[in-house]
């Protein structure tokens, strides 16, 4: 690590993470949920449009899609039916959850530090690693901690919920091109 | 001047007078002691609602109204709106710091910050968690009953495998369908708790910080100082400096109370001291001597002090409007003292006892008619009017007693006439008298010309707003805060009654189901009902059965899909009851809606918001129809109806009063009684006509003022007939009328519409009676009636 960066590890991370308008990639998720003996594994693709939202397309074990925009979380099921999971316009309290998802996926340190206490940890090689603890009591009722690690991109996320559930995410095959949304992608994010 | 026939030795007091006077001095000593104690911590009421009648024969509505009013009586809400959330947060911090700092630098804090505890949600969630399976919104109930278990299982699976997504608020197996967050979301939306993580509200393009304070009653003095508003203004300007472009909205009953107190204190000063100064100036002009000045002032002081003491003893406290109204009493109560001194002019000091005996019948009659008029004010079941009536009658009587019991002892000196008094007394001789047919014809024509068109123009208006006097800016802010926060109206609500809590909750549920329909089509705004938080036992049992069936079906399917053995979580075996709910922190947002024991049964209120649509009231009223135990209460309309009812009733009483007064007068004056009463009747009719000409609506308070006019106007006629051709009687009437006229004229300056109407009516009425009375006076040599002769 550079000496200057050691003084402010956050600035170092922020400097490292690519701030791109559009990011595509693949994910593998493992959830440990109370009541289940085995972790729930799923995988698929994701699309992050910095100003619009995230499209989370699960392909295995069965196809489904979740779209997270500034105002709501929407899911599309196998039969094509859509369901609004959360409407932040009706419950502004959930905006913070949305905003957090955004910030996590895109490594937006500025947004994250306003809602979380950030502790950077030394990491091997060129990468970085950090632990986030919610500042607000409201968010703490949902999450106890979030651990992130990565290099130019966020590579791994570990989310610990207050009820004991743990979600582990691994991102791969990140690509910054094409740099514009296709028409189909844009409609999903409407 | 007056040279009454004397039957008693000149310098001899009346029998027993010494003892009566002594007794009166003792009474005054007690009053003085009470006054001294009262002003240390004055119990002064400013709530306009306290003036209004409580629903006679309906304790439930009275109770509900009192609870609703009392519930918010000490709350102050401040909203700080900024374009950016950071600016709103900064403004909030500065505002709170300012309020706290000012509390630290003063002996006692005026406001206490009243945030709902940060962990309220955690506490409420913990309380409800064992009953999670019994709590569903209406939409959830319908969805669960109608959606096939396969589809529900599918959604549950998507949520399980999807991204971290929605926070669940509890363990997955205790809520596999994710019903719990939606239920809380619905509660938050309906109770105005929809604030984001920073505690900001987003509305109308701004981010609002909502600050709640509770007034520390002990530090709040309604002494006419703007302490609370100065504190808030200071905090607001500090916050605006920190966040330019900030919008500040303030609301709360204490703001109105303080504003009323400030206004009342200003009005008591202008009206009370103004009329006192005017009275004393007139006394000075008429008598040019310090003794009358001091003694008349003494009678007024005694009158006001005794009135205040008795009112406080009877009612427990005194209303500000009573004080303002009482200030005009000065103009009436001074009549007795002035009468004494007008008659004393040129009468030797030794003759004063016989003078008293000579004056007593007229004074008694004048007191009696005035007191009757004031007492008539108290016939309407308005606590405020009763207070004013009691205050006035006691004040008049005390001033009267001070004059008749005190003045003969205290006024032992010489009392010469002055140039002014001779001139004013002398004007009577030059005043025309209605002696010819032509004069009568001219007067009749003039009266008809003014009265008939004026009466046709007259319109009645019994709006409750006649009682309110808050500054429009304050009312506008109150309204805006109410709209932004979705605060329910305190004057319109549903009252739900039943024999026990369960029945009340079941009836509420039937009402709420109807309300949801009209809310869904956008006709009206939302509602707040306790049963939305705590459903009836029957509803809870139904929902528990529904969720148990559906969740077990879903879990069976999920078990098959995932190869896991999934078990449903444990829940409480029986419904949550009203007592446990009310005792827990969870009930905080709705606790005030539960009235508990009312009469034989239990009761609650369902409050509504957004009455902006003109037909909203009718729509709400229609929702209560045909529902057992549910009533729509519209206090505004009820009170307006009451005001109309009492305007009619008092108008009839006024007519009856005219008849009674005429009969009393006829007993003493026989065929001359018409001379006493006609000027007052004409003045009354002309006053009402003038109101019509001026476009002033006729309301209860005009009628009440006419009642007073009857009581006071008669006095002038009495004095003029009683002491016929007597310049000193005319002097007393003129000085008395002028000061009464000034007092009520100043009342016409009041910002309270009701008092203004009162003042205006008497301003016209008294002036007219004074002008008209001499026209009807009998000839000095007319001996067709018994009574007292003059020179």
């Amino acid at each position: 690590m550079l000496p200057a960066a050691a003084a402010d590890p956050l600035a170092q991370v922020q400097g490292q993470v690519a701030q791109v308008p559009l990011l595509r990639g693949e994910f593998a998720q493992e959830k440990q949920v109370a009541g289940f003996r085995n972790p729930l594994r799923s995988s698929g693709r994701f699309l992050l449009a910095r100003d619009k939202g995230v499209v989370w397309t699960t392909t295995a074990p069965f196809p489904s899609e979740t779209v997270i925009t500034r105002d709501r979380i929407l899911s599309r099921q196998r039969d094509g039916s859509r369901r609004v999971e959360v409407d932040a316009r009706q419950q502004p309290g959930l905006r913070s959850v949305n905003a957090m998802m955004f910030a996590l996926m895109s490594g937006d340190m500025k947004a994250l530090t306003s809602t979380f206490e950030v502790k950077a940890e030394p990491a091997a090689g060129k990468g970085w690693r950090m632990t986030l603890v919610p500042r607000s009591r409201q968010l703490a009722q949902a999450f106890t901690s979030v651990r992130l690690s990565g290099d130019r991109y966020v590579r791994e996320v570990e989310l610990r919920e207050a009820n004991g559930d743990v979600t582990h995410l691994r991102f791969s095959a990140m690509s910054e091109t094409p740099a514009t949304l296709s028409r189909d992608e844009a409609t999903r994010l409407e | 001047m007056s040279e009454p026939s004397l039957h008693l030795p000149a310098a001899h007091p009346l029998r027993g007078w010494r003892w009566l006077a002594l007794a009166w001095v003792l009474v005054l000593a007690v009053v003085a002691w009470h006054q001294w104690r009262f002003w240390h911590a004055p119990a002064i009421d400013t709530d306009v609602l306290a003036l209004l009648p409580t629903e006679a024969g309906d304790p439930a509505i009275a109770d509900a109204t009192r609870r609703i009013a009392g519930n918010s009586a000490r709350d102050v809400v401040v909203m700080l709106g900024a374009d950016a959330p950071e600016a709103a947060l900064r403004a909030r911090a500065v505002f709170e710091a300012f309020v706290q700092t000012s509390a630290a630098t003063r002996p006692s804090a005026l406001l206490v910050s009243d945030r709902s505890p940060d962990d309220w949600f955690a506490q409420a969630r913990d309380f409800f968690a064992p009953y999670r399976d019994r709590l569903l919104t209406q939409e959830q109930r319908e969805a669960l009953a109608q959606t096939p278990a396969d589809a529900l299982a599918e959604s549950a699976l998507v949520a399980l495998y999807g991204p971290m997504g929605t926070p669940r608020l509890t363990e997955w197996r205790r809520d596999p369908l994710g019903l719990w967050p939606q239920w809380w979301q619905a509660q938050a939306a309906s109770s105005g708790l929809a604030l984001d993580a920073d505690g900001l509200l987003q509305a109308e393009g701004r981010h609002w910080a909502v600050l709640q304070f509770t007034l520390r009653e002990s530090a709040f003095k309604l002494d006419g100082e703007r302490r609370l508003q100065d504190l808030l203004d200071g905090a607001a300007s500090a916050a605006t400096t920190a966040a330019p472009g900030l919008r500040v909205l303030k609301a709360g009953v204490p703001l109105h109370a303080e504003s009323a107190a400030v206004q009342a204190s200003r009005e008591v000063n202008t009206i009370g001291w103004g009329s006192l100064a005017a009275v004393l100036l007139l006394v000075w002009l008429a008598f040019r001597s310090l003794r009358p000045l001091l003694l008349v002032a003494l009678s007024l002081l005694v009158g006001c002090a005794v009135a205040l003491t008795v009112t406080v003893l009877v009612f427990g406290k005194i209303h500000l409007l009573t004080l303002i109204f009482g200030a005009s009493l000065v103009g009436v109560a001074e009549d007795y003292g002035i009468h004494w001194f007008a008659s004393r002019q040129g009468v030797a000091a030794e003759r004063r006892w016989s003078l008293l005996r000579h004056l007593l019948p007229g004074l008694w009659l004048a007191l009696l008619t005035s007191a009757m008029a004031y007492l008539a004010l108290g016939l309407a079941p308005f606590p405020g009017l009763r207070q004013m009536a009691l205050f006035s009658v006691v004040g008049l009587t005390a001033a009267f007693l001070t004059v008749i019991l005190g003045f003969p002892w205290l006024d032992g000196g010489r009392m010469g006439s002055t140039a002014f008094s001779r001139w004013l007394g002398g004007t009577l001789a030059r005043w025309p008298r209605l002696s010819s047919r032509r004069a009568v014809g001219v007067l009749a024509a003039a009266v008809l010309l003014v009265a008939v068109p004026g009466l046709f123009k007259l319109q009645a208006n019994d709006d409750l707003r006649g009682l309110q006097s808050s500054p429009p800016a304050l009312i506008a802010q109150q309204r805006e805060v109410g709209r932004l926060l979705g605060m329910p109206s305190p004057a319109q609500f549903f009252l739900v009654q039943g024999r026990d809590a369960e029945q009340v909750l079941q009836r509420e549920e039937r009402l709420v189901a109807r309300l949801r329909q009209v809310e869904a089509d956008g006709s009206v705004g939302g509602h707040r009902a306790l049963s939305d938080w705590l459903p009836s036992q029957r509803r809870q049992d139904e929902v528990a059965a529904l969720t148990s069936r559906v969740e077990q079906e879903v879990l069976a399917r999920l078990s098959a899909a995932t190869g896991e053995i999934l078990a449903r979580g444990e829940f409480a075996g029986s419904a949550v009851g009203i007592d446990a709910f009310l005792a827990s922190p969870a009930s905080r947002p709705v606790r005030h809606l539960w009235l508990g024991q009312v009469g034989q049964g239990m009761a609650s209120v369902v409050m509504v918001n957004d009455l902006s649509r003109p037909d909203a009231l009718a729509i709400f009223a229609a929702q209560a129809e045909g529902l057992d135990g549910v009533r729509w209460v519209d206090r505004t309309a009820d009170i307006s109806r009451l005001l109309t009812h009492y305007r009619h009733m008092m108008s009839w009483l006024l007519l009856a009063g005219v008849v009674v007064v005429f009969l009393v007068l006829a007993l003493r004056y026989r065929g001359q009684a018409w001379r006493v009463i006609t000027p007052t009747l004409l003045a009354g009719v002309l006053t009402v006509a003038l109101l019509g000409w001026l476009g002033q609506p006729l309301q209860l308070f005009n009628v009440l003022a006419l009642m007073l006019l009857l009581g006071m106007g008669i006095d002038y006629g009495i004095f003029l007939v009683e002491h016929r051709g007597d310049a000193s009687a005319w002097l007393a009437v003129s000085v008395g009328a002028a000061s009464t006229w000034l007092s009520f004229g100043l009342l016409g300056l009041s910002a309270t519409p009701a008092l203004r109407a009162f003042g205006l009516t008497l301003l016209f009425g008294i002036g007219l009676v004074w002008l008209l009375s001499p026209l009807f006076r009998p000839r000095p040599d007319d001996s067709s009636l018994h009574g007292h002769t003059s020179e």
Side-chain angles (χ1 to χ4, degrees):
Chain A
M1 256 197 274
L2 296 167
D8 186 359
L10 272 179
Q12 187 223 357
V13 172
Q14 200 150 15
Q16 270 192 346
V17 175
Q19 302 291 308
V20 291
L22 222 58
L23 187 67
R24 292 178 178 79
E26 292 173 7
F27 71 85
Q29 177 178 269
E30 212 178 278
K31 264 193 200 177
Q32 187 63 59
V33 178
F36 289 81
R37 272 177 295 132
N38 302 311
L40 302 159
R41 293 195 180 85
S42 62
S43 57
R45 299 184 306 275
F46 74 90
L47 159 76
L48 168 78
R50 178 166 294 278
D51 300 323
K52 298 215 163 139
V54 183
V55 183
W56 192 267
T57 315
T58 306
T59 49
F62 54 87
S64 77
E65 189 175 271
T66 302
V67 179
I68 304 162
T69 63
R70 225 171 266 288
D71 286 334
R72 55 190 177 170
I73 298 178
L74 208 117
S75 68
R76 193 193 303 267
Q77 293 167 30
R78 254 186 292 198
D79 59 359
S81 68
R82 284 154 64 113
R83 177 175 135 158
V84 177
E85 305 286 347
V86 167
D87 192 334
R89 281 168 303 188
Q90 277 175 14
Q91 171 55 314
L94 291 169
R95 272 173 197 269
S96 57
V97 175
N98 272 18
M100 189 195 83
M101 299 281 290
F102 257 62
L104 276 180
M105 305 282 290
S106 58
D108 184 346
M109 291 304 135
K110 205 175 149 208
L112 284 178
T113 48
S114 70
T115 39
F116 290 95
E117 205 75 64
V118 183
K119 209 167 70 195
E121 295 165 22
K126 287 171 131 187
W128 49 265
R129 182 180 289 279
M130 61 173 62
T131 305
L132 310 176
V133 182
R135 279 183 202 275
S136 82
R137 207 190 267 257
Q138 206 173 351
L139 210 54
Q141 283 168 358
F143 304 102
T144 48
S145 75
V146 183
R147 292 167 69 110
L148 294 171
S149 67
D151 38 52
R152 181 170 163 73
Y153 305 112
V154 178
R155 295 284 178 185
E156 281 188 58
V157 175
E158 185 201 78
L159 198 77
R160 290 185 176 272
E161 290 181 50
N163 57 27
D165 294 357
V166 182
T167 303
H168 202 93
L169 276 164
R170 219 184 310 271
F171 300 107
S172 59
M174 251 77 91
S175 152
E176 295 172 26
T177 51
T180 51
L181 288 171
S182 71
R183 186 181 297 176
D184 179 46
E185 287 166 341
T187 6
R188 284 164 199 233
L189 284 165
E190 284 291 294
Chain B
M1 297 196 118
S2 164
E3 199 61 32
S5 49
L6 307 172
H7 307 292
L8 278 173
H12 200 282
L14 275 66
R15 251 164 66 96
W17 220 242
R18 200 183 298 273
W19 297 111
L20 285 176
L22 201 64
W24 185 234
V25 169
L26 282 177
V27 169
L28 292 187
V30 173
V31 167
W33 174 76
H34 179 265
Q35 287 290 305
W36 183 73
R37 288 200 32 187
F38 175 81
W39 288 109
H40 270 270
I44 296 175
D45 199 357
T46 55
D47 180 13
V48 165
L49 289 176
L51 289 174
L52 298 178
T54 46
E55 210 73 29
D58 201 335
I61 291 180
D63 197 26
T65 314
R66 200 170 49 244
R67 297 269 194 100
I68 291 165
N71 206 8
S72 58
R74 291 167 56 199
D75 295 349
V76 175
V77 177
V78 177
M79 293 185 71
L80 307 171
D83 292 331
E86 298 77 38
L89 290 175
R90 205 162 51 237
R92 179 171 74 183
V94 171
F95 197 101
E96 281 184 333
F98 188 97
V99 171
Q100 268 169 16
T101 319
S102 85
T105 54
R106 283 175 197 207
S108 54
L110 201 53
L111 291 176
V112 185
S113 185
D114 182 34
R115 283 191 168 181
S116 71
D118 281 342
D119 53 354
W120 173 82
F121 177 66
Q123 289 174 7
R125 191 184 56 178
D126 288 349
F127 173 79
F128 275 126
Y131 308 99
R132 199 282 304 162
D133 64 325
R134 295 173 177 272
L135 303 168
L136 291 183
T137 67
Q138 192 189 343
E139 294 74 35
Q140 287 180 323
R141 286 204 311 276
E142 285 163 8
L144 280 202
Q146 289 160 11
T147 316
D150 284 340
L152 291 172
E154 176 98 355
S155 306
L157 213 53
V158 169
L160 261 181
Y161 283 94
M164 46 269 198
T166 51
R168 277 202 306 269
L169 300 181
T170 182
E171 231 181 300
W172 180 84
R173 54 204 185 103
R174 298 187 68 167
D175 187 19
L177 293 172
L179 300 167
W180 200 217
Q182 278 180 7
W183 185 81
W184 278 105
Q185 194 165 316
Q187 302 310 310
S190 74
S191 57
L193 298 173
L195 305 176
D196 66 13
D198 296 318
L200 297 182
L201 174 83
Q202 291 167 53
E204 301 181 354
R206 280 174 186 264
H207 298 262
W208 298 90
V210 183
L211 285 82
Q212 300 202 9
F213 298 99
T214 305
L215 190 70
R216 280 263 315 275
E217 211 71 77
S218 54
F220 191 55
K221 292 192 194 78
L222 289 170
D223 53 4
E225 299 286 326
R226 290 177 89 248
R227 291 178 215 285
L228 179 57
Q229 301 201 50
D230 284 347
L231 173 65
L232 294 178
D233 286 350
S237 74
T240 310
T241 315
L246 191 72
R247 268 205 77 182
V248 183
L249 298 176
K250 293 165 285 189
V253 176
L255 292 173
H256 293 271
E258 191 186 67
S259 146
V262 169
Q263 179 193 308
S265 135
R266 203 172 51 228
E267 289 183 1
V268 167
N269 281 333
T270 49
I271 298 169
W273 296 117
S275 53
L276 186 64
V279 167
L280 295 181
L281 178 71
L282 284 164
V283 170
W284 175 253
L285 279 175
F287 307 116
R288 292 292 168 113
S289 162
L290 205 56
R291 192 158 21 88
L293 201 69
L294 291 176
L295 287 181
V296 168
L298 174 76
S299 74
L300 294 179
L301 190 70
V302 166
C304 289
V306 176
L308 186 60
T309 291
V310 172
T311 308
V312 171
L313 288 180
V314 170
F315 287 93
K317 52 188 171 182
I318 188 158
H319 200 281
L320 267 173
L321 288 182
T322 308
L323 278 182
I324 301 177
F325 182 81
S328 66
L329 187 70
V330 167
V332 183
E334 104 300 7
D335 280 8
Y336 311 114
I338 287 179
H339 223 77
W340 168 266
F341 284 108
S343 311
R344 263 283 271 134
Q345 285 190 336
V347 174
E350 311 79 62
R351 289 259 170 97
R352 60 190 199 272
W353 292 105
S354 51
L355 175 69
L356 176 65
R357 165 160 280 228
H358 164 68
L359 287 175
L360 271 178
L363 287 176
W364 273 115
L365 202 59
L367 173 70
L368 195 70
T369 49
S370 298
M372 269 166 57
Y374 274 114
L375 280 176
L377 287 183
L379 285 176
F382 287 77
L385 289 177
R386 290 196 171 155
Q387 245 189 49
M388 293 179 194
L390 180 74
F391 187 95
S392 306
V393 169
V394 171
L396 281 184
T397 311
F400 173 83
L401 289 176
T402 307
V403 168
I404 64 163
L405 294 175
F407 280 22
W409 300 103
L410 300 171
D411 178 31
R414 239 184 69 78
M415 190 69 220
S417 61
T418 64
F420 179 80
S421 68
R422 275 193 300 275
W423 168 78
L424 188 58
T427 56
L428 184 66
R430 294 190 296 279
W431 210 277
R433 194 183 264 123
L434 283 181
S435 45
S436 66
R437 250 174 221 284
R438 235 189 84 222
V440 173
V442 167
L443 181 71
V447 167
L448 284 177
L449 210 63
V450 175
V452 174
L455 290 176
F456 270 107
K457 284 181 205 280
L458 193 68
Q459 300 221 316
N461 181 6
D462 298 303
D463 203 326
L464 169 65
R465 271 169 295 212
L467 288 170
Q468 288 166 343
S469 59
S470 282
L474 206 54
I475 294 176
Q477 287 189 31
Q478 181 89 31
R479 230 173 251 150
E480 198 166 352
V481 168
R483 186 165 44 86
L484 288 172
L485 293 182
M487 285 204 305
S489 151
Q492 285 89 9
F493 52 86
F494 291 99
L495 180 68
V496 184
Q497 288 175 280
R499 65 174 178 274
D500 52 25
E502 175 65 9
Q503 195 179 42
V504 170
L505 289 173
Q506 286 184 18
R507 288 175 168 177
E508 244 193 39
E509 282 163 356
R510 276 195 285 274
L511 169 67
V512 166
R514 285 193 181 185
L515 288 178
R516 281 185 201 287
Q517 283 178 4
V518 282
E519 283 161 17
D521 65 27
S523 314
V524 293
H527 67 271
R528 289 186 195 185
L530 186 112
S531 57
D532 279 345
W533 290 75
L534 179 81
S536 67
Q537 311 239 344
R538 193 173 67 185
R539 166 71 49 82
Q540 289 189 47
D541 291 344
E542 284 167 13
V543 168
L546 176 68
T547 49
S548 162
R549 174 180 67 77
V550 171
E551 284 177 2
Q552 268 160 19
E553 286 172 11
V554 166
L555 285 175
R557 283 164 176 75
L558 288 180
S559 296
T562 58
E564 300 260 347
I565 304 152
L566 301 172
R568 188 171 179 250
E570 297 278 314
F571 295 104
S574 61
V576 56
I578 182 82
D579 295 330
F581 175 64
L582 291 176
S584 82
S587 62
R588 192 180 142 99
V590 288
R591 202 174 288 158
H592 61 282
L593 297 173
W594 189 252
L595 298 183
Q597 192 78 33
V598 170
Q600 295 296 307
M602 305 289 256
S604 71
V605 293
V606 173
M607 304 196 75
V608 295
N609 50 34
D610 189 15
L611 297 164
S612 52
R613 263 180 60 144
D615 56 350
L617 291 174
I619 293 176
F620 280 127
Q623 304 313 310
E625 272 165 30
L627 288 183
D628 283 339
V630 178
R631 258 188 306 169
W632 169 247
V633 178
D634 183 349
R635 292 280 295 156
T636 313
D638 288 350
I639 290 163
S640 290
R641 231 186 342 264
L642 265 179
L643 289 174
T644 310
H645 171 68
Y646 285 107
R647 180 168 57 79
H648 290 153
M649 196 185 105
M650 294 315 258
S651 301
W652 286 112
L653 268 173
L654 180 65
L655 294 181
V658 168
V659 173
V660 170
V661 166
F662 186 77
L663 291 177
V664 171
L665 291 174
L667 283 179
R668 183 162 172 86
Y669 302 116
R670 313 274 169 203
Q672 298 293 324
W674 67 274
R675 292 184 183 278
V676 179
I677 204 166
T678 311
T680 303
L681 295 185
L682 283 182
V685 171
L686 288 173
T687 299
V688 175
L690 283 176
L691 291 176
W693 280 105
L694 288 178
Q696 293 280 323
L698 186 74
Q699 44 159 309
L700 175 63
F701 300 93
N702 300 110
V703 179
L704 296 173
L706 290 175
M707 216 111 185
L708 268 196
L709 180 67
L710 178 65
M712 293 187 301
I714 294 293
D715 291 1
Y716 307 152
I718 291 175
F719 290 137
L720 282 177
V721 172
E722 191 82 17
H723 311 284
R724 237 168 314 142
D726 185 345
S728 71
W730 176 239
L731 173 70
V733 165
S734 296
V735 173
S739 57
T740 307
W741 192 72
L742 276 167
S743 305
F744 283 107
L746 287 168
L747 200 56
L749 297 177
S750 171
T752 307
L755 291 179
R756 201 167 50 233
F758 211 95
L760 206 60
T761 310
L762 282 168
L763 190 69
F764 293 151
I766 299 285
L768 286 165
V769 175
W770 178 75
L771 282 172
L772 293 171
S773 284
L775 300 179
F776 291 85
R777 71 192 189 279
R779 304 187 68 81
D781 52 359
D782 188 346
S783 56
S784 65
L785 70 158
H786 71 86
H788 307 269
T789 54
S790 313
E791 50 191 18

